[in-house]
């Protein structure tokens, strides 16, 4: 069986769960997202536990009925089994398995059993699989999903329909084949729920091409035992890419985000990408006003911060002395409540710069206007990047690299060990192919174009009309501009000719001008004759 087959079957599972929601009046309902993602998570951890249990216990592997064999284990055997499986895999008791629910679906009040089962799993696995808030409170992995059905008489049937869809499908073969396609599945799973509206809690989905470029530039060589952090993690696209580039076993992931929905998406993404042990490091909080990891330093930081998030509610608190060191370049003013011009990203950039370890590296998506602003906080931040010898390079991306926003973006690469005499600026604005995506146009980079960007910046190569390699002194002279185009040389080709050749060219040009002037006079005469014939002689 191929990975394409697995992808197709998994998408069919997602579609079938959506179909159940639609049949019970929850299609496009605000709670549909929770039902779909939580059922997917339940099925995934159910099959993951079964797969790992069979690997650790030969009796379970050989048993004709895994569920009955699991129930037959005594307490000591079960405890020993869970110890062998390890902390990264959720622990499920026999009565918490999907098979148990499937076998008992005709019991009265099945919805009560269904909800109680999911709640018990949440409690038993809270230490590893719960998302924390800044206060330390832990969320629940699962809601009481049956309660989203307003008609109590339909709840049992709704829960039975969900269980039956899960029972028909298995991930176990996918684990044994070790296919790596869960990023594709995750994107399909959340594609209807990860909005790009740019509102109060904007959640932008970073294009995979941008995420891959960021990771490849940041991790050109193998590293071990490092920390990765995203202060505005969203669903985790950037974190997953940097973790894959480093190696899941070689890094620990940390994140903060104000959105509960995004935090739950990230949890599922970590589970799918073999990073479950980092789930306790997911924090739901306002990174700017209530940072959970304040003072902690990280080896790798990636971020696509919100460009327009309204911070007027908490700006005054940022004026306190406690925040001044972190926001060294200043706190932007709130521009008359116009959320389209909320420059909160400037606070995230400063937060990131002060969160880097002594050997830390960072990649930050910024509006391209940031790299050329002539004054204000923008310039002060850029100045600190140069004077602090942190700037490795900048890549100005093609327009519409994000399908849902017209903002042109660039990626700034910081490195505490940067070569300050070889800073690479790239103008990639002419790369990519424009494609239509729903009602929007998006620019898509080919893999060879991604590789070109990565190669040029990592090899510190100057390419005509594409990249420049600069010193800090040259950047100072240009008012700390990070735009590659401002440093490109304007070349004028000179061709040496003899006086005789010059005279011949002048004569040729003179003859051509005289001929054109004569022809112009002829046309003027012919027009007058035609007008006279029409009676317009005056």
């Amino acid at each position: 069986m191929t990975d394409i087959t697995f992808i197709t079957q998994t998408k069919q599972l997602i579609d079938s769960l959506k179909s159940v929601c639609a049949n019970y009046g929850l299609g496009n309902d605000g709670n549909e997202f929770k039902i779909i993602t939580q059922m997917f998570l339940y099925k995934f951890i159910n099959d993951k536990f079964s797969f790992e249990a069979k690997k650790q216990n030969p009796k379970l592997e050989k048993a004709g009925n895994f569920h009955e064999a699991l129930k037959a284990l005594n307490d000591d055997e079960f405890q020993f089994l869970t110890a062998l499986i390890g902390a990264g895999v959720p622990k499920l008791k026999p009565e918490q398995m999907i098979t148990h629910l499937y076998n008992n679906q005709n019991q009265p009040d099945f919805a009560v059993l269904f909800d109680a089962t999911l709640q018990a799993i949440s409690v038993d696995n809270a230490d590893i699989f719960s998302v924390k808030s800044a206060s330390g409170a832990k969320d629940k992995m699962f809601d009481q999903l049956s309660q989203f059905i307003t008609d109590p008489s339909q709840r049992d049937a709704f829960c039975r329909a969900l269980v039956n869809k899960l029972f028909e499908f298995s991930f176990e073969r996918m684990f044994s084949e070790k296919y790596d396609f869960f990023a594709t599945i995750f994107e399909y799973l959340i594609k209807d729920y990860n909005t790009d509206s740019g509102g109060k809690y904007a959640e932008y989905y970073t294009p995979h091409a941008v995420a891959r470029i960021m990771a490849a530039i940041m991790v050109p060589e193998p590293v071990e035992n490092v920390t990765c952090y995203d202060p505005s993690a969203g669903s985790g696209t950037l974190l997953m890419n940097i973790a894959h580039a480093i190696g899941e076993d070689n890094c620990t992931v940390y994140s903060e985000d104000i959105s509960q929905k995004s935090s739950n998406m990230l949890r599922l993404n970590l589970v799918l990408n073999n990073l479950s042990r980092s789930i306790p490091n997911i924090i739901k909080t306002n990174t700017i006003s209530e940072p959970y990891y304040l003072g902690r330093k990280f080896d790798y930081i990636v971020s696509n911060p919100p460009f327009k998030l309204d911070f007027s509610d908490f700006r005054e608190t940022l004026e306190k002395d406690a925040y001044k060191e972190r926001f060294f370049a200043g706190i932007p003013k709130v521009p008359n409540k116009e959320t389209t011009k909320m420059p909160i990203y400037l606070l995230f950039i400063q937060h990131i710069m002060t969160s880097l370890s002594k050997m830390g590296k960072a990649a930050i998506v910024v509006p391209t206007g940031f790299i050329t602003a002539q004054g204000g906080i923008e310039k002060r931040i850029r100045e600190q990047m140069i004077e602090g010898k942190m700037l490795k390079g900048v890549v100005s991306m093609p327009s519409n690299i994000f399908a849902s926003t017209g903002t042109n973006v660039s990626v700034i690469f910081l490195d505490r060990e940067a070569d300050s005499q070889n800073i690479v600026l790239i103008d990639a604005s002419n790369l990519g192919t424009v494609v239509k995506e729903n009602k929007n146009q998006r620019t898509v980079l080919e893999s060879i174009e991604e590789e070109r960007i990565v190669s040029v910046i990592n090899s510190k190569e100057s390419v005509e009309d594409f990249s420049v390699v600069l010193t800090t002194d040259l950047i100072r002279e240009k008012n700390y501009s990070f735009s590659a185009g401002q440093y490109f040389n304007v070349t004028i080709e000179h061709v040496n000719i003899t006086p005789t050749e010059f005279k011949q060219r002048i004569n040729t040009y003179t003859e051509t001008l005289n001929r054109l002037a004569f022809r112009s006079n002829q046309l003027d005469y012919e027009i007058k004759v035609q007008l006279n014939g029409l009676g317009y002689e005056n």
Side-chain angles (χ1 to χ4, degrees):
M1 189 178 292
T2 66
D3 55 344
I4 297 298
T5 303
F6 285 147
I7 291 173
T8 301
Q9 291 180 349
T10 309
K11 288 182 177 180
Q12 287 173 350
L13 168 65
I14 296 168
D15 290 340
S16 67
L17 292 173
K18 289 183 178 180
S19 177
V20 171
C21 289
N23 291 338
Y24 285 86
L26 293 173
N28 297 318
D29 182 87
N31 293 311
E32 183 188 27
F33 160 75
K34 294 181 179 179
I35 296 168
I36 301 301
T37 54
Q38 290 182 26
M39 283 293 90
F40 190 89
L41 175 61
Y42 176 40
K43 178 59 180 174
F44 191 89
I45 64 176
N46 180 95
D47 291 0
K48 185 69 172 176
F49 174 76
S50 300
F51 177 75
E52 296 296 336
K54 291 174 183 177
K55 283 204 309 185
Q56 299 298 336
N57 189 316
K59 288 195 302 182
L60 296 177
E61 174 68 31
K62 297 176 183 178
N65 187 319
F66 169 78
H67 187 250
E68 291 300 322
L70 185 66
K71 287 169 59 178
L73 297 178
N74 59 42
D75 290 344
D76 289 340
E77 289 174 323
F78 185 79
Q79 292 296 328
F80 183 67
L81 173 65
T82 56
L84 288 175
I85 289 175
V89 178
K91 311 301 186 294
L92 300 185
K93 298 171 184 175
E95 64 271 19
Q96 295 170 343
M97 305 289 290
I98 291 173
T99 301
H100 179 78
L101 290 177
Y102 180 82
N103 292 338
N104 290 275
Q105 62 179 293
N106 293 321
Q107 286 189 9
D109 296 325
F110 176 69
V112 175
L113 173 63
F114 176 86
D115 285 335
T117 299
L118 296 182
Q119 292 302 304
I121 295 172
S122 293
V123 172
D124 292 347
N125 294 276
D127 289 343
I128 298 296
F129 286 86
S130 286
V131 172
K132 291 187 295 187
S133 65
S135 65
K138 295 181 178 180
D139 79 334
K140 296 178 293 186
M141 288 175 66
F142 302 106
D143 293 288
Q144 289 186 295
L145 299 182
S146 72
Q147 300 305 302
F148 295 141
I149 301 294
T150 55
D151 183 354
S153 67
Q154 289 189 319
R155 289 173 181 168
D156 287 350
F158 172 68
C159 294
R160 278 196 292 269
L162 291 176
V163 168
N164 285 329
K165 296 299 183 185
L166 299 183
F167 188 78
E168 296 168 358
F169 178 86
S170 176
F171 280 110
E172 288 192 55
R173 178 75 180 277
M174 302 182 193
F175 299 141
S176 62
E177 296 288 349
K178 297 182 179 180
Y179 285 117
D180 182 20
F181 59 81
F182 285 109
T184 303
I185 292 302
F186 180 77
E187 186 173 349
Y188 185 80
L189 178 66
I190 67 171
K191 67 183 176 69
D192 295 329
Y193 310 116
N194 203 20
T195 62
D196 296 316
S197 59
K200 180 76 175 176
Y201 300 116
E203 297 163 23
Y204 288 98
Y205 196 91
T206 308
H208 285 295
V210 176
R212 285 192 296 266
I213 290 169
M214 292 166 69
I217 290 173
M218 293 178 73
V219 193
E221 299 174 352
V223 294
E224 294 182 356
N225 194 28
V226 296
T227 54
C228 303
Y229 170 60
D230 189 337
S232 54
S235 55
T237 302
L238 294 178
L239 280 173
M240 296 308 102
N241 277 270
I242 192 72
H244 287 319
I246 294 170
E248 294 84 353
D249 295 334
N250 293 323
C251 66
T252 304
V253 169
Y254 297 82
S255 76
E256 294 175 277
D257 198 285
I258 198 170
S259 167
Q260 181 66 54
K261 184 175 80 170
S262 291
S263 298
N264 288 334
M265 286 181 181
L266 177 55
R267 169 171 53 196
L268 180 54
N269 216 353
L270 290 170
V271 170
L272 294 180
N273 285 277
N274 200 30
L275 287 161
S276 297
R277 59 189 174 83
S278 289
I279 291 176
N281 304 328
I282 303 173
I283 306 297
K284 178 198 168 293
T285 189
N286 185 325
T287 308
I288 300 304
S289 64
E290 297 180 293
Y292 186 83
Y293 293 116
L294 183 63
R296 178 150 191 172
K297 306 298 182 182
F298 297 95
D299 302 316
Y300 290 85
I301 303 179
V302 289
S303 180
N304 176 17
F307 294 171
K308 298 182 288 189
L309 182 67
D310 185 352
F311 62 99
S312 58
D313 294 344
F314 56 87
R315 187 193 180 280
E316 288 187 9
T317 65
L318 304 181
E319 294 283 6
K320 297 177 181 178
D321 291 341
Y323 293 92
K324 293 297 175 63
E325 183 178 350
R326 185 163 54 131
F327 302 124
F328 57 87
I331 299 167
K333 295 180 180 179
V334 176
N336 300 321
K337 293 282 187 177
E338 292 182 28
T339 56
T340 57
K341 297 181 180 178
M342 288 286 180
I344 192 172
Y345 74 93
L346 297 174
L347 297 172
F348 275 94
I349 296 173
Q350 295 176 78
H351 172 79
I352 290 167
M353 291 172 66
T354 57
S355 299
L356 281 172
S357 67
K358 291 182 179 179
M359 298 180 291
K361 298 173 175 57
I364 314 165
V365 179
V366 300
T368 293
F370 167 81
I371 68 176
T372 57
Q374 294 297 298
I377 295 174
E378 293 92 337
K379 184 191 171 186
R380 289 196 290 274
I381 292 174
R382 298 200 313 270
E383 184 175 348
Q384 179 58 31
M385 290 177 177
I386 294 299
E387 303 307 332
K389 299 181 179 180
M390 301 172 64
L391 186 65
K392 174 177 180 176
V394 179
V395 179
S396 296
M397 291 292 177
S399 60
N400 297 319
I401 195 78
F402 287 80
S404 56
T405 175
T407 304
N408 290 337
V409 302
S410 296
V411 183
I412 292 180
F413 294 91
L414 305 179
D415 189 338
R416 286 287 191 185
E417 300 177 309
D419 179 358
S420 60
Q421 299 305 300
N422 289 281
I423 299 168
V424 184
L425 306 184
I426 293 178
D427 180 2
S429 60
N430 293 321
L431 299 185
T433 303
V434 177
V435 298
K436 190 158 187 180
E437 193 172 83
N438 299 323
K439 296 180 180 178
N440 300 311
Q441 284 189 329
R442 183 163 71 94
T443 301
V444 178
L445 292 173
E446 300 289 339
S447 58
I448 192 170
E449 293 175 317
E450 293 180 33
E451 293 168 5
R452 182 186 182 193
I453 293 171
V454 173
S455 174
V456 165
I457 199 167
N458 282 342
S459 63
K460 302 171 185 176
E461 183 182 357
S462 179
V463 179
E464 185 177 353
D465 294 334
F466 183 71
S467 66
V468 288
V469 181
L470 305 169
T471 66
T472 54
D473 289 338
L474 287 172
I475 293 177
R476 283 193 201 98
E477 291 175 9
K478 289 284 189 179
N479 201 29
Y480 296 95
S481 172
F482 292 173
S483 173
Q486 292 193 14
Y487 299 89
F488 289 158
N489 292 322
V490 178
T491 57
I492 301 175
E493 293 187 4
H494 297 275
V495 179
N496 293 323
I497 59 175
T498 65
T500 301
E501 290 173 326
F502 177 77
K503 185 176 181 180
Q504 288 175 343
R505 290 191 183 187
I506 292 297
N507 290 338
T508 300
Y509 296 149
T510 301
E511 291 175 2
T512 301
L513 288 172
N514 289 337
R515 187 170 60 252
L516 291 174
F518 177 75
R519 179 56 180 157
S520 175
N521 291 333
Q522 281 185 314
L523 290 173
D524 284 343
Y525 176 77
E526 290 175 6
I527 291 172
K528 288 179 182 178
V529 170
Q530 294 296 328
L531 288 174
N532 288 337
L534 294 172
Y536 288 101
E537 61 273 7
N538 293 325

